[in-house]
Amino acid sequence: MKTDPNIDTQKRRILAFAGKAAAFFSTVWFFSSGRVFAGFFSQHTEDIMKLPPARHKGTVSVEQAIERRRTIRSYTDKPLSPEQLSQMLWAAQGITEKGGFKRSAPSAGALYPMDVYVVTGEHTVEKLEAGVYHYKPDQHALERVADKDLREETARACLSQMWVATAPVSFVVTAEYERIRGKYGERGRRYAMIEAGHIGQNLFLQAQAEKLAAGIVGAFNDEHLNRVLGLPRSHEPLLVMPAGYEN
């Protein structure tokens, strides 16, 4: 029995429309169910959030930021804005060439063995839940790797320097040496440590540009810190940098 081709076409159109409608309503449910961060963070999956775009012009000169830079160990409880967090992460390891992969801090052989994690508390960054987040430079996004406030445990891993826990956020800079050893051998470890220094200074200077303050810690138990934050064993911590508004 032959069928009318016009009817078949109509059926295909109806099915296609129904599919689009289902996708639309499932998207509406997803956004209204609270599984995304409202406002500034755009979430692709439950645990990956796009950051606001970084600015490439500011109101503080490089010279002013260098002059004002200090290591600060006392912070208020005022939260950072999503834009401030975005800017700090971009300064640390953000992509700085359109359509490319070069980052904000220099790296031997452009191998980039570094990773940056952010430790946050409840309401310490507007519209961002407490936890530990892994910065993904290629997406300018955060991936959540822990879902609770671990600032106090981070401070204890930093040989009980409890002032670290008072900062709204702490940036943890790690190195994966295997990414750089292939080209430079054991010398690659030194290059990674130099790179960590560049990242640290970028964070210090960007903090000044954001009217924030930052500290820096190199005294911590590596294994304890990795265990507390749930970091991969191959990501060896080199710096912890608390940041927030100076008290």
Side-chain angles (χ1 to χ4, degrees):
M1 178 178 175
K2 294 184 178 179
T3 58
D4 188 333
N6 292 328
I7 294 175
D8 287 342
T9 300
Q10 275 188 325
K11 286 181 178 179
R12 284 195 294 270
R13 286 176 179 170
I14 290 168
L15 288 171
F17 175 79
K20 289 178 181 178
F24 171 78
F25 285 112
S26 66
T27 301
V28 170
W29 173 85
F30 179 79
F31 276 89
S32 63
S33 66
R35 292 175 64 191
V36 299
F37 293 101
F40 294 97
F41 292 98
S42 172
Q43 187 157 340
H44 287 178
T45 69
E46 189 170 356
D47 293 314
I48 296 182
M49 290 74 68
K50 285 286 288 182
L51 290 159
R55 301 185 315 276
H56 299 153
K57 290 185 179 180
T59 58
V60 177
S61 71
V62 173
E63 293 82 3
Q64 288 172 319
I66 292 172
E67 181 185 31
R68 297 171 187 171
R69 188 220 64 79
R70 296 292 183 274
T71 297
I72 302 301
R73 297 181 177 86
S74 181
Y75 305 93
T76 72
D77 59 2
K78 182 178 178 179
L80 276 66
S81 70
E83 292 88 353
Q84 287 173 317
L85 180 63
S86 170
Q87 205 66 33
M88 294 288 283
L89 288 164
W90 175 82
Q93 279 286 272
I95 303 295
T96 55
E97 61 176 359
K98 189 173 182 179
F101 66 95
K102 298 291 181 67
R103 300 185 188 179
S104 54
S107 178
L111 294 174
Y112 302 111
M114 317 304 288
D115 284 273
V116 179
Y117 294 86
V118 189
V119 185
T120 69
E122 289 292 344
H123 311 301
T124 62
V125 178
E126 295 171 3
K127 307 186 191 316
L128 185 67
E129 295 177 359
V132 179
Y133 296 85
H134 180 210
Y135 178 53
K136 303 176 79 64
D138 58 333
Q139 301 176 48
H140 193 54
L142 290 174
E143 178 183 22
R144 187 160 64 172
V145 297
D147 60 0
K148 61 181 179 179
D149 186 348
L150 292 171
R151 290 176 300 157
E152 185 170 328
E153 289 86 343
T154 298
R156 295 194 186 285
C158 293
L159 309 187
S160 293
Q161 298 182 73
M162 300 313 295
W163 64 270
V164 172
T166 68
V169 303
S170 280
F171 299 93
V172 180
V173 180
T174 70
E176 189 170 40
Y177 294 121
E178 289 308 311
R179 295 187 214 165
I180 200 167
R181 277 196 186 120
K183 182 173 183 179
Y184 296 113
E186 285 305 308
R187 190 78 173 182
R189 292 178 66 90
R190 179 180 297 191
Y191 296 156
M193 292 175 186
I194 292 170
E195 189 170 339
H198 296 316
I199 293 170
Q201 183 71 342
N202 279 7
L203 283 168
F204 267 129
L205 299 183
Q206 188 67 62
Q208 289 300 315
E210 297 300 312
K211 297 180 171 57
L212 300 172
I216 190 165
V217 175
F220 46 78
N221 183 300
D222 296 21
E223 291 184 6
H224 186 183
L225 187 60
N226 268 44
R227 185 170 63 252
V228 161
L229 301 182
L231 307 185
R233 290 178 62 85
S234 60
H235 289 199
E236 297 191 28
L238 295 178
L239 292 176
V240 176
M241 295 193 62
Y245 287 92
E246 184 177 1
N247 192 1

